[in-house]
Structures are given as structure tokens and as C-alpha cells.
Amino acid sequence: MTTVGEEAFIAAVKPLVDAMGGEMLPPDEAGSDDVVLSWDGVETVAVRLPQLADSLDHILAAMERKKGMPLADLDRKAKQEVVRILEARGAFSVRHGVETVASALGVSRFTVYNYLNRERG
């Protein structure tokens, strides 16, 4: 049974967990890779973090919702902005990240690399 304070803590953490594409579960169901959060010294909730590749898909879907259209329908400048944001969030450190982003943007891998190089240059 959770207290009012624990329930408020869980409610406060939920948007962050959702934004990451994670999952919340009872602390006694936590696995070795899960993060158990405590409130006032009591294990209150466990967070199961997504695999990095799943996180990238989640981030791309959230960006589509924010833009209000498929990323492939954006103009070149908006696509470059998406690549900048994704680079800052570490999207290209994920295996096949460039390919995944290129597919979502409806461009080639070469184009994504060009956008990245333009930013770095």
C-alpha cells in the first residue's frame, strides 16, 4: 500500500519515464537492470529503461507528434534541425542510428551524414 506522498512522487516521475519510453513497475518486480526509486527511504517504484534502439524510435515518434506531421514531410531546414536535436540526444551513438533516422526523415544515410558534417564544420 502506498502513501499519499509516494503516490505524488510516482505521479511526478511518470512524465519523465514516459518521455524516455520507460516502464514503471512495483519495486519487488525489479530486475537487475531496473532502477529502483525511493521516497522517504522506502522503495516506491522501479523504472525499466528501454533499450537504446527502442528509445530512438520513441524519440522519433515524439518528434513527429511535436511537429504534427511525419518527419519525412518536413522541409530540408526542419530535417537539419531534427538531426541537430537527435545528435545532441546521442541518437547516432546507437547501432544503426543513422539508418533509422534517415529512414524516418525519408532521406539517404549520405544526406544525414551531410547534415551532421554541416553542423560540425
Side-chain angles (χ1 to χ4, degrees):
M1 184 166 143
T2 58
T3 67
V4 174
E6 291 169 347
E7 288 176 12
F9 175 72
I10 292 169
V13 171
K14 186 172 182 355
L16 176 62
V17 174
D18 290 346
M20 294 183 327
E23 176 185 354
M24 296 174 73
L25 51 141
D28 59 340
E29 294 179 20
S32 60
D33 291 334
D34 298 331
V35 178
V36 178
L37 304 176
S38 298
W39 180 255
D40 282 340
V42 176
E43 291 184 347
T44 305
V45 65
V47 177
R48 181 159 295 152
L49 300 172
Q51 298 297 314
L52 286 176
D54 295 337
S55 291
L56 181 53
D57 290 338
H58 189 81
I59 290 167
L60 289 167
M63 291 183 93
E64 281 192 343
R65 284 191 304 277
K66 184 176 181 179
K67 298 287 185 184
M69 67 176 68
L71 297 178
D73 293 346
L74 298 173
D75 63 24
R76 183 176 52 85
K77 185 175 179 180
K79 288 179 181 182
Q80 289 171 336
E81 177 189 351
V82 166
V83 168
R84 268 195 311 276
I85 292 167
L86 291 171
E87 182 179 29
R89 295 184 74 178
F92 301 110
S93 63
V94 175
R95 184 180 166 141
H96 302 297
V98 170
E99 291 87 347
T100 301
V101 170
S103 177
L105 292 175
V107 300
S108 68
R109 290 181 338 190
F110 180 75
T111 298
V112 172
Y113 284 117
N114 278 341
Y115 291 168
L116 288 168
N117 289 334
R118 183 171 292 129
E119 274 306 304
R120 294 176 184 148

